[in-house]
Amino acid sequence: MLVTPSHAIVRPPGSSYSSCLREQPVAIDAELARSQHDGYVAALREAGIVVEVLPELPNAPDGVFVEDTAVVLDSCALVTRPGAPSRRGEVETIAAALEGRREVTIMQAPATLDGGDVLRFDRWLVVGLSRRTNRAGLECLARLAAIDGLEVVAVRVNDGLHLKSACTLAGPEIMLVREADLELGALARLPLERVAVPEAAGANVLALADRVIVSSAAPRTAELLARRGLSLRIVELSQIHAGDGALTCMSLRLAPAGAWTV
Ligand code: CIR
């Protein structure tokens, strides 16, 4: 059963956030990004999640995107070796934050993996092979996942940054997807309904047990989900999207024992 995480780890965007990696050289307002991050944290807390806020990391412009630095499983966690070399200094503090909560393994070269390429669905981990995540990274995660009885399903990411830039779960059985960006054949055996999203920002939503957090940049996706009877919480993320980020990438989420969360 998909549950609301009991805990989430986040890190606010720092003053260097306007120098973060991004595909398009759009201007970023770091102050506004910080207040949008506050809004995101408020939405998590409203849902009953205990949020741990890590201190800003100087010299880590992408440090707000904590999802990429670890994959938290049931008994263990993999601290990643992010695909972008400039992001590798982010992992130490994440390893420290996860110590004591999960058995922590640190990924080693030549493996690379960003958590944005890992989507949890029940007993499966869908893993995107992307510009950031290589085959060695996937295999390292698969070995760890086997400890928790999880199976890895590989999906090639043809376009966009990460797997979860192109697909996320909106509920326990609904996957929102931008089909053109992914090779979806491997997903056919998963018991999921795939729904094409009407706009790019709608592909990354954050599903909790009783609501879905959706970006205000995705009004048509919000309408589609509301028509299906889902409760929505809309948040403003313009400055996070400007840094190629979205909803899932700003937190590491921990499920209570015996349950799974996205
Ligand atoms: C990067 O390029 O690494 C960041 N600017 C954006 C990372 C977004 N992460 C995510 O969606 N999981």
Side-chain angles (χ1 to χ4, degrees), residues 176-222:
L176 293 173
V177 59
R178 291 167 71 180
E179 300 200 330
D181 292 357
L182 302 172
E183 274 172 37
L184 290 163
L187 296 184
R189 69 196 174 90
L190 302 188
L192 274 172
E193 179 192 0
R194 293 206 301 258
V195 177
V197 278
E199 64 232 316
N204 188 287
V205 298
L206 181 50
L208 307 176
D210 62 346
R211 71 197 75 179
V212 189
I213 309 182
V214 181
S215 167
S216 63
R220 287 185 291 153
T221 305

Side-chain angles (χ1 to χ4, degrees), residues 106-130:
I106 314 271
M107 181 175 272
Q108 303 296 332
T112 64
L113 182 138
D114 280 9
D117 279 317
V118 182
L119 183 146
R120 172 82 184 253
F121 165 59
D122 198 4
R123 307 314 297 166
W124 290 276
L125 292 178
V126 182
V127 179
L129 289 168
S130 69

Side-chain angles (χ1 to χ4, degrees), residues 20-22 62 65 67-68 87 114-116 132 161-162 165 243-246 248-249:
C20 71
L21 298 173
R22 51 199 186 274
D62 287 289
F65 301 118
E67 175 179 65
D68 295 322
R87 298 200 54 193
D114 280 9
R132 299 284 179 90
L161 183 57
H162 289 133
S165 318
D244 293 343
T248 61
C249 50

Side-chain angles (χ1 to χ4, degrees), residues 9-21 37 54-69 86-91 93-94 240 243 249-252:
I9 298 170
V10 304
R11 178 178 1 244
S15 49
S16 64
Y17 176 61
S18 51
S19 314
C20 71
L21 298 173
H37 189 267
L54 299 181
E56 282 172 30
L57 259 194
N59 308 321
D62 287 289
V64 58
F65 301 118
V66 289
E67 175 179 65
D68 295 322
T69 58
S86 67
R87 298 200 54 193
R88 295 193 184 141
E90 296 170 27
V91 300
T93 54
I94 297 295
I240 301 300
C249 50
M250 289 189 288
S251 56
L252 276 171

